[in-house]
Amino acid sequence: MVDFATFQAVVELNAAYAAALDARQWDAWPDFFLDDCVYRVQPRENFDMGLPLATLSFESKGMLRDRIYGIRDTLFHDPYYQRHVIGLPSIRQLDDGTLHVEANYAVFRTKPDQLTDILSVGRYLDVVKRTGDGWKFASRQCIFDSEMIPNSLIYPI
C-alpha cells in the first residue's frame, strides 16, 4: 500500500504526460524522464516471450531529445493529433522512493480529414523515482497488445 499523496502524484504524472503529448508540447516530453532512462515501445508478444526486439527503444534523455528533433525537423508524415486515455495506476512495488507502476492506456489518432482511429492500446510498465523536481520516469515500457502497428509510429505513445 502507498499513501494517497503518492498515488495522486502518479496519477498527476500520467495526466501531465498525456496532456503534453496531446498538445504536441514535444520539448516537455523528455522532462518527464530522468537523464539515465529507458523508453521502449514493444509488442506484447515479444515482451511476454522475453524477446528484446522493440518498435522503439531509447536509453537516455538525450535519445528522447533526438527523437523530438526527428519529429520536428527530419520526419515527413501526414500530420495527426493524438489523444491519450490512461487508466488508474496500479502501484505494484515501492522501494525507497522508487515505484513500479502499471497502467492501461489507449491512444487515439485523428487526421484532420479523417475519422478518429485507434493508434495503440496496451499497458505502461513504469519505474518512477522521486527527485527534487518531483516524480520522474526512470523507465517507461509501452507494451502494445496488437501485433499490427501503423506503418509509421511518429509521436511518443
Side-chain angles (χ1 to χ4, degrees):
M1 276 306 256
V2 297
D3 60 84
F4 181 76
T6 301
F7 178 79
Q8 184 64 26
V10 174
V11 169
E12 290 177 12
L13 177 64
N14 277 331
Y17 178 93
L21 293 181
D22 293 347
R24 297 179 171 185
Q25 295 172 343
W26 307 127
D27 290 330
W29 180 55
D31 293 334
F32 289 97
F33 293 84
L34 298 174
D35 289 339
D36 184 22
C37 65
V38 172
Y39 175 81
R40 178 173 285 146
V41 179
Q42 185 177 28
R44 180 180 189 163
E45 179 182 33
N46 285 9
F47 178 81
D48 288 349
M49 293 176 28
L51 300 173
L53 185 62
T55 305
L56 294 174
S57 185
F58 306 126
E59 297 179 2
S60 70
K61 190 185 274 190
M63 291 179 80
L64 300 180
R65 287 187 182 115
D66 186 59
R67 181 64 179 188
I68 297 308
Y69 172 77
I71 289 169
R72 279 211 174 105
D73 298 323
T74 64
L75 298 175
F76 294 97
H77 61 90
D78 288 339
Y80 62 90
Y81 303 105
Q82 288 189 146
R83 181 69 53 202
H84 289 71
V85 178
I86 302 174
L88 288 175
S90 177
I91 299 175
R92 302 291 188 196
Q93 186 178 344
L94 169 61
D95 302 313
D96 296 327
T98 300
L99 304 172
H100 297 262
V101 181
E102 182 174 336
N104 293 328
Y105 75 83
V107 180
F108 299 90
R109 175 178 61 181
T110 305
K111 294 185 178 183
D113 60 343
Q114 297 177 15
L115 294 172
T116 299
D117 62 353
I118 298 170
L119 178 67
S120 182
V121 173
R123 62 189 165 136
Y124 292 129
L125 298 177
D126 300 325
V127 176
V128 183
K129 294 193 176 206
R130 186 189 314 259
T131 72
D133 295 326
W135 293 92
K136 304 276 184 181
F137 294 110
S139 173
R140 171 155 268 194
Q141 294 186 81
C142 310
I143 309 300
F144 60 90
D145 289 336
S146 177
E147 294 178 23
M148 303 294 291
I149 60 168
N151 61 2
S152 61
L153 185 59
I154 306 297
Y155 305 144
I157 296 292

